[in-house]
Every structure is written in structure tokens, then in C-alpha cells.
Amino acid sequence: MPDMENKDVMSEETTEKSKSAYSLLGKKDVKCSWLIWLFNNQANYNYERMMGIGFLHSMVPVARKLYKDDVDKQREMLQRHTGFFNCEPCVGSAVAGLTVAMEEQKAAGEEIDGEAITSVKTGLMGPLSGIGDSVIQGVIVPLLLAFAIDMASKGSFVVPIIFSLVMVAVVFGISYPLFMLGYKQGSNAILNILENGIINKIIAGANIMGCMVLGALVANYVSMNCGISIPQGEGDPFSIQAQLFDVIVPSLLPLLLTLGSYKLMKKGWSSIKVLILIVVIGIIGGLTGILA
Amino acid sequence: MNVFQAILLGILYYLGNSSIIAGPVGYYTVYRPLVGGFLAGVVLGDPVTGTMVGATINLMYIGFISAGGALPGDMCLAGILGAALSISGGMDTEAALALAVPIGLIGTLLWFGRLTLDSIFAHMADKMVEEGKSDKIWIPSVLLPQLMLFIMTAVPCFLAAYFGTTAIQGAIDALGGTVLGILIIIGGMMPALGIGLTLLYIFKGDARVFFFLGFLITVYSGLSMIAVGFLSLCAAIVYTQLKNAKGGEANA
């Protein structure tokens, strides 16, 4: 959730948006801004400002239309958008749409502080990323991928085609309506989404689905086997994997590995560091025969 | 593999990373080894093998999620080159999977390079805004970074595809079975990282127990992913209904 300060700013500034949609901008300008955002949000992706330049770019048609004859005001508006921006791009299009609306109101003479626009923008990117990342990357994509990989591993190449079409539909189906929602309904609509009971229920449900599917993914697709077997006199050697782990909980090691990776990243380890650790474990385990 | 096919593979790798197919669309399609492997297969005339190898490599990256600009492992390069080496080098799926591990690690370097160097163009954009040249912002926003990206991605992928098959085949023969075995062990552990990353976003509150439920159901029953998917939908619905019913009583 955005903090209280941002919320106050937003509710003061943009309550009447829905009445004045398209007063200065045509539908074409708004669509143009959306298309630039959709295509180019990561065209220039950099550590310094992440999607900031993509965001700036999506504001260019808006600035050029709002301040057609005033280069100074155009500059003032665009300078506001040269900063840092990073958001899950599909859900984040709501922020771009909302910013277009606020800039339009400002140009129409409403008293909107430039800083208010920036603070709305930066206040929303965190919570919206949270929703976008957990629902799209956390649930929809792994679920569809798991289905698709199951079907495609025998070589039916219709599957990747269908998967791609579904993903195109998902991206467009989220990006465009949310951009327009942000533009037409203003920040209150987005705040309502963040606080709305139904949306929160959907997210809670999605998290449950996601967790359950991830658990199944661990069981199906992570593999880690102990190669140690203890010789026991005359009988067959006692295999720790086959006669201990597989009897109690098959896939115990994959489960521990996954939870361990999660815990380390939660503690602040970067994913690259965990990756290196996995490579090291793999090399040591492979050389010594502890892992097989 | 002829030069033309290798060039196409280079372009394919660029497309997976580029903004030419809308950014998020490309990231969810060509960037995935499932799709990239299939397309590499189309280029090399064997979409069936391409899809099979791509799907297997994609397993390693199944839960991978890019958040905050960090991406451990380049699944796109791993998918395209893995499929290409398997088709033109006659490698079996398991060896291709093993190779995809180091390829994906090397690809990560390109990602770091790109995000670092793109800052230069960001400053160029600042200057254009200052000078009031808003009509030219597309140059530092799209043209230059994408040109750079094209050179950074298409060229190495082309070279690796064109010259790599024999070189990598030779390297594998020289290194022998141990290295391959270790790579396969690492490849098997890799999905744990991606799943752990995704858990960071959704392993919260009441949902946590369902992770173990999904794990146990699959381990003991061997149900397919699709079956677990539908079960999880039912679990989510039942859970929210029960929770609401409780909330309703409390309010009444």
C-alpha cells in the first residue's frame, strides 16, 4: 500500500478526472502513449533508472500535444519524468495512464504541483509491482509454463505456438485496460483497486494457487539425489536415497534446497549469489559422489 | 548449419531481448526456451527436436522471475543454443541440458553489460530534454540501446551457433563424463532457485501451507501438473469462501 502521505495528495488532486477525459488530448495521443510504454518500457533498461527512460519516452507525445507551442513548458514537464521508474510493466501501465491524466489536468490549468505527480508515480510503482509480480510472474506464467512443458516435452510444436498466443492475450488484456483505467478514472480508481476487497480476495486466492503449484513444481522438476551408500557387510549396500529418503519423503532434498534458496534470498542474498552456491554444491557433490 | 541459419539464430536471440516485439510480450514468448527452442528448430528444419529440447531446458528456468532488474541465468540464450547444438550437433537432450547450464551463466554477463551501458544513453536523453529536443528522445530511448543490444546479443549468438557446434562437441569429448555429470546435477538443482525466487513474492501468510500441500500431493500421488493446477483452483476457492463466511458471522 502507498503510504498515507501519497494517498492524501492523490485524493486531493485528481478526484474529478473522469469528467474531463480527453479534454486536451485526443484518443490517438493517449493510445500512442500506451503503445510507446508497451513496446519500449525496457528498450533502454539501465541500473541507474531502470525503466525511467521508457517512461519518459511514453510521455513525449503527451508533452508535445499539451504544450505544442511552448518549448519551455514541454521541457519542464519532460524533466519531471527523467527519473527512476521500475514497475511490473503490464500492471505498471496503469501508472503511465494515470500520469498522462494528471499532466493533462495540469496543462488544463488545474492546480497540480509537479512534485505531486512524481510522488503519485513513485508511490504507486511499489504496490502495483507487488500485484503484477505475484499474479503474472508468480502464478499465471509458471502455471501455463508447467502445463505447456508437460505437453511439449514429447515434441508437439503446436504447444509453444498456443502458449505464445495465450501470453500475448494476457499481456494485452492487462496492459491496455489498466492504462485506460488509470487515464480515465484517475488515482482514486487505482487506490480503490489496491484496497478493494474483491481484488484482494483474488490476490489471496492467486497466492494459494501459486503456492500449491510451486510445491508441485518442486516435486516434479527439481532433482537432487544423494549418492551415498553405506556398505553393510555381506548384504547390498544401504543406499541413503533409495532406502531412507525415498521411503519417508521422496524429493526431500529438492524441497530442502528450494526452501533453503528462498530463506537465503529472504535474508538478503542476491539470486546470483544463491546461483553460485548451487553451482559450488553441484561441483563438490558431483566430485565427491555425495550427489548423484 | 549454414551461415544464413546461424545469422537467423542470432537475430532470434536479439528478438527475445528486444523491444521490437513489445517488451513484455517478447519476454513471455521468444525469451522462454520452450518458444525459443521451437523457433530455433524451425530455423534449422527440425521443430520437433527444437520443441523437445527447449521444453526440457525451460524446466530449469520454470519459476524464474525478473524483479528489480536481476535475472540469474539467461534462459533465452540457453534455449536457442541448446536446441541448435542438439539439432546440428546430434547431441542428446540430456547433454544439451547440461550445456545449457554454462551457456545460461555466460548469458547473464550480457545482461549486466547491457544494464550498465544503457545508463550512457539515459544521460543522453537528459540532455535532449534540456535542449528541448523532445522529438529526438526515441534515439536514446530505443534506437541506440537497441542497436547496442543487437550487437551484444546477435553477434555472440551467431558466432556460438556457427562455430560452437564442433568446438563444444570437442570440448565435451575432451572433458569426459564427470563434467557432464556435474552439469546435469547442477541443471537438476537450478529450478529450486527460480521457485525460491517466486516464493519470495507469494509465500506469505495463510498461503504457505498450500506450498507443502501441493508438494505432498504430487510426491505421493504422482498427479500431473494440470491435475494439481485444477485442484489448486478449487483449494483457493474453498479457502476464500470459508474465510468470507467466517468474516460474515463476525460482522453479523
Side-chain angles (χ1 to χ4, degrees):
Chain A
M1 296 290 127
D3 55 50
M4 291 306 288
E5 214 179 82
N6 286 334
K7 232 161 70 181
D8 289 344
V9 171
M10 279 183 268
S11 45
E12 273 168 31
E13 307 286 5
T14 50
T15 35
E16 301 298 311
K17 179 59 216 166
S18 46
K19 290 174 195 161
S20 60
Y22 300 131
S23 61
L24 294 175
L25 297 169
K27 193 161 191 181
K28 219 182 93 199
D29 307 309
V30 178
K31 271 199 174 157
C32 182
S33 174
W34 167 67
L35 277 174
I36 294 179
W37 170 253
L38 173 73
F39 275 83
N40 297 327
N41 60 69
Q42 289 172 69
N44 177 342
Y45 201 32
N46 61 80
Y47 282 125
E48 194 182 304
R49 291 175 237 174
M50 304 314 274
M51 304 171 185
I53 300 301
F55 197 98
L56 167 73
H57 191 180
S58 72
M59 291 301 138
V60 168
V62 179
R64 289 176 68 78
K65 178 76 178 240
L66 291 179
Y67 306 108
K68 225 178 275 171
D69 312 308
D70 194 337
V71 183
D72 286 334
K73 287 212 157 166
Q74 230 181 66
R75 174 188 310 135
E76 188 206 319
M77 172 185 156
L78 288 177
Q79 264 173 343
R80 231 190 328 276
H81 297 295
T82 53
F84 180 92
F85 189 78
N86 200 27
C87 197
E88 194 287 314
C90 298
V91 177
S93 78
V95 185
L98 169 64
T99 310
V100 172
M102 291 179 81
E103 289 291 357
E104 184 184 23
Q105 284 171 291
K106 186 173 163 66
E110 274 179 59
E111 274 195 34
I112 299 181
D113 193 9
E115 275 171 33
I117 297 179
T118 309
S119 71
V120 169
K121 207 176 112 181
T122 46
L124 284 176
M125 72 188 180
L128 285 178
S129 283
I131 295 180
D133 285 336
S134 60
V135 173
I136 300 174
Q137 294 204 85
V139 180
I140 297 178
V141 174
L143 199 64
L144 290 176
L145 263 181
F147 290 179
I149 289 174
D150 255 14
M151 292 185 273
S153 48
K154 305 238 160 40
S156 29
F157 57 80
V158 187
V159 176
I161 299 174
I162 296 173
F163 174 80
S164 301
L165 293 177
V166 172
M167 284 320 301
V168 171
V170 168
V171 170
F172 277 74
I174 295 175
S175 179
Y176 184 72
L178 279 184
F179 190 96
M180 285 309 179
L181 180 86
Y183 175 68
K184 288 186 181 154
Q185 310 286 327
S187 57
N188 284 338
I190 296 180
L191 282 180
N192 281 340
I193 287 186
L194 291 172
E195 282 159 8
N196 182 299
I198 295 170
I199 301 283
N200 283 329
K201 265 174 227 157
I202 291 175
I203 292 169
N207 280 354
I208 287 172
M209 269 187 87
C211 275
M212 207 159 149
V213 168
L214 288 180
L217 289 183
V218 172
N220 274 333
Y221 298 136
V222 185
S223 72
M224 190 180 185
N225 290 303
C226 181
I228 301 175
S229 43
I230 302 161
Q232 32 185 11
E234 288 167 19
D236 289 333
F238 180 84
S239 155
I240 292 191
Q241 181 66 44
Q243 282 157 281
L244 186 67
F245 293 157
D246 285 354
V247 175
I248 311 169
V249 185
S251 294
L252 178 66
L253 289 180
L255 180 68
L256 294 177
L257 180 69
T258 308
L259 288 174
S261 307
Y262 160 77
K263 282 273 179 222
L264 286 175
M265 286 185 278
K266 186 142 203 199
K267 260 172 76 182
W269 279 45
S270 70
S271 47
I272 301 285
K273 233 169 138 184
V274 178
L275 177 66
I276 294 170
L277 181 70
I278 287 179
V279 170
V280 170
I281 295 176
I283 292 174
I284 295 175
L287 285 177
T288 54
I290 294 174
L291 296 177
Chain B
M1 187 185 313
N2 59 43
V3 182
F4 182 64
Q5 285 171 320
I7 291 175
L8 283 181
L9 291 177
I11 293 174
L12 188 58
Y13 178 46
Y14 163 70
L15 285 179
N17 285 282
S18 80
S19 64
I20 286 184
I21 320 168
V25 174
Y27 174 66
Y28 291 128
T29 57
V30 182
Y31 196 76
R32 307 287 151 164
L34 172 71
V35 182
F38 157 66
L39 291 174
V42 171
V43 168
L44 297 171
D46 189 353
V48 173
T49 309
T51 304
M52 256 158 61
V53 176
T56 313
I57 292 174
N58 210 147
L59 276 185
M60 269 199 303
Y61 297 100
I62 193 155
F64 271 58
I65 136 172
S66 158
L71 204 64
D74 187 332
M75 64 174 103
C76 185
L77 189 62
I80 292 171
L81 284 184
L85 293 173
S86 166
I87 292 169
S88 64
M91 225 172 269
D92 59 13
T93 311
E94 205 170 46
L97 178 73
L99 272 183
V101 173
I103 294 174
L105 294 180
I106 293 168
T108 315
L109 294 176
L110 295 177
W111 175 265
F112 284 124
R114 170 193 176 189
L115 265 79
T116 308
L117 291 174
D118 269 351
S119 297
I120 300 169
F121 306 122
H123 288 277
M124 205 180 281
D126 288 348
K127 222 174 136 202
M128 281 178 177
V129 170
E130 229 163 81
E131 290 167 358
K133 291 181 191 155
S134 59
D135 55 331
K136 295 218 170 69
I137 286 175
W138 66 279
I139 296 174
S141 166
V142 181
L143 181 68
L144 295 177
Q146 289 296 305
L147 262 178
M148 183 190 80
L149 183 66
F150 185 81
I151 296 167
M152 284 178 81
T153 51
V155 174
C157 182
F158 158 74
L159 292 175
Y162 192 63
F163 297 106
T165 319
T166 39
I168 290 176
Q169 193 74 55
I172 285 189
D173 293 342
L175 290 168
T178 321
V179 174
L180 217 56
I182 288 174
L183 288 175
I184 289 169
I185 290 175
I186 295 172
M189 287 157 64
M190 285 272 286
L193 172 62
I195 295 168
L197 258 175
T198 311
L199 282 178
L200 279 181
Y201 290 86
I202 61 175
F203 194 62
K204 285 173 187 156
D206 296 347
R208 280 178 296 193
V209 70
F210 290 91
F211 171 76
F212 297 99
L213 187 64
F215 172 80
L216 292 173
I217 287 177
T218 315
V219 161
Y220 291 120
S221 74
L223 283 177
S224 73
M225 280 309 304
I226 295 179
V228 178
F230 283 121
L231 278 179
S232 72
L233 180 64
C234 296
I237 292 172
V238 170
Y239 175 85
T240 24
Q241 280 173 347
L242 280 177
K243 190 149 191 191
N244 290 347
K246 247 190 189 166
E249 275 166 33
N251 291 336

